[in-house]
Amino acid sequence: MGSEVLVSIVIPTYQGEKFIKQTVESVMNQTYSNFELIIGDQNPDDETKKILKPFEHDSRVKIVNVPKGDGASTNWNYVSELATGEYFKLLPHDDILKSDMLQRQVELLNVNPKIGMTSSKREIISDHGEILKSNWGLDGIKHLTDGREVVRATIKKGRNVVGEPGSVLMRKSIFDQIGGWDFSHPYVVDLSTFFHILMVSDFIADDYNGVQFRVSQTQWSSVLRDSQSDDVIALNHQIAEIYPNFLSKKELFIGDSKAKLMALARKLFFIFDSFKAKIKI
């Protein structure tokens, strides 16, 4: 392990007992072994701590109690500030990494110090583990790309082309440089943060299904889904304001319009998934 880059993986948990074992096992089974895993437990009243007990013997694993504070923002920030690795990934407590994901992403970030982040395609899975969609994300973005062009493409698509936190590996120094997680738009905290990173660095695509991203009625983002289009539009306009010559009025209009359509599509998806679950019951 001597010369390998240290990777920090942080998992903020809240009511994570249903999936946390599978998520942690996906980290421990990585072919790339030079990582630290920091798990923040924000709900000591459930079974999460008990489920995590067998992992405590591994010196790479650190389990911490997180104060309730402001909910998700406190949890995400608390575990992220403990990360000491050169590269950094936040993994939701119900997502699953493919076993060679860290190896692939470390090699990609090692290509060039100007690369601020990489992201893989992902499989979308239901609350029940059913694969709903494969090869999702990136939308034709390949290889090494100017980060600003990735931001532009994402805004014009009206959806998160880059991916959720589990699909992303960031350079920790740039993450710290932009001020960490941007919770000014809570529904799109991940995308907002990635935009700030990409506006000052390059992006390299990982054309591979590296993670299974779980969608469910109980996950934090689904609770907030009615605010999706508002937050995406606000983020678009924030970027336009910070970088006044970056987006044209036409690009901004297209992005705002597609964000509204994507919010409706996502809401219909959750309704359909709930309906299927009830039928199975």
Side-chain angles (χ1 to χ4, degrees):
M1 287 194 318
S3 62
E4 291 183 338
V5 173
L6 177 64
V7 177
S8 295
I9 303 171
V10 301
I11 305 178
T13 69
Y14 179 76
Q15 297 180 344
E17 59 188 357
K18 186 175 181 181
F19 300 113
I20 188 63
K21 183 174 186 288
Q22 191 177 12
T23 299
V24 172
E25 285 177 342
S26 78
V27 177
M28 304 309 294
N29 292 333
Q30 290 295 302
T31 58
Y32 189 89
S33 60
N34 193 23
F35 63 81
E36 61 175 6
L37 174 60
I38 302 167
I39 307 168
D41 183 14
Q42 204 175 25
N43 184 26
D45 298 327
D46 73 355
E47 294 295 307
T48 299
K49 268 278 176 59
K50 182 179 178 182
I51 293 167
L52 293 174
K53 191 75 176 171
F55 299 102
E56 289 182 329
H57 72 278
D58 194 306
S59 61
R60 297 171 298 178
V61 178
K62 183 176 184 180
I63 301 167
V64 296
N65 291 320
V66 179
K68 295 224 171 158
D70 293 324
S73 63
T74 298
N75 205 349
W76 284 37
N77 288 322
Y78 192 92
V79 291
S80 298
E81 287 170 6
L82 294 175
T84 63
E86 185 173 341
Y87 299 155
F88 167 67
K89 179 189 292 289
L90 183 142
L91 182 63
H93 68 226
D94 53 0
D95 291 353
I96 303 166
L97 299 181
K98 300 297 181 69
S99 62
D100 60 343
M101 188 180 194
L102 283 188
Q103 184 71 52
R104 291 174 60 90
Q105 293 198 318
V106 166
E107 290 173 0
L108 287 169
L109 285 187
N110 283 345
V111 168
N112 190 320
K114 292 183 179 179
I115 299 171
M117 58 183 279
T118 181
S119 182
S120 74
K121 292 182 177 180
R122 58 264 196 212
E123 291 177 344
I124 310 299
I125 62 174
S126 72
D127 204 22
H128 329 292
E130 174 189 2
I131 296 177
L132 304 173
K133 192 168 184 64
S134 192
N135 291 309
W136 182 249
L138 297 182
D139 287 32
I141 298 172
K142 295 182 181 294
H143 312 302
L144 182 61
T145 307
D146 183 334
R148 292 166 66 95
E149 293 310 309
V150 176
V151 174
R152 188 192 310 279
T154 303
I155 289 174
K156 289 170 68 177
K157 292 280 186 180
R159 65 175 181 271
N160 187 348
V161 171
V162 176
E164 297 74 28
S167 64
V168 170
L169 187 68
M170 298 171 273
R171 201 173 293 275
K172 184 61 160 54
S173 60
I174 299 181
F175 173 81
D176 291 338
Q177 174 188 323
I178 59 98
W181 298 109
D182 177 13
F183 272 87
S184 58
H185 311 296
Y187 188 90
V188 290
V189 52
D190 51 352
L191 189 59
S192 180
T193 305
F194 300 157
F195 275 7
H196 293 309
I197 291 173
L198 291 169
M199 291 303 292
V200 297
S201 67
D202 289 338
F203 175 81
I204 191 164
D206 183 11
D207 191 20
Y208 163 78
N209 276 325
V211 63
Q212 290 186 319
F213 170 68
R214 194 182 304 273
V215 291
S216 71
Q217 287 291 342
T218 55
Q219 73 182 83
W220 178 60
S221 58
S222 75
V223 172
L224 295 174
R225 67 185 180 274
D226 289 333
S227 300
Q228 182 191 30
S229 61
D230 291 342
D231 274 10
V232 171
I233 290 169
L235 174 58
N236 293 348
H237 286 260
Q238 180 192 61
I239 294 296
E241 184 177 341
I242 296 173
Y243 304 95
N245 298 317
F246 176 59
L247 293 169
S248 69
K249 290 182 179 180
K250 181 179 178 180
E251 288 171 327
L252 199 55
F253 174 77
I254 290 172
D256 291 351
S257 300
K258 287 192 175 180
K260 293 176 183 177
L261 290 174
M262 288 305 299
L264 176 60
R266 181 171 294 218
K267 183 178 290 190
L268 291 173
F269 169 80
F270 277 110
I271 292 171
F272 178 68
D273 189 53
S274 297
F275 180 70
K276 283 202 306 182
K278 288 178 182 177
I279 291 176
K280 289 181 180 179
I281 293 171

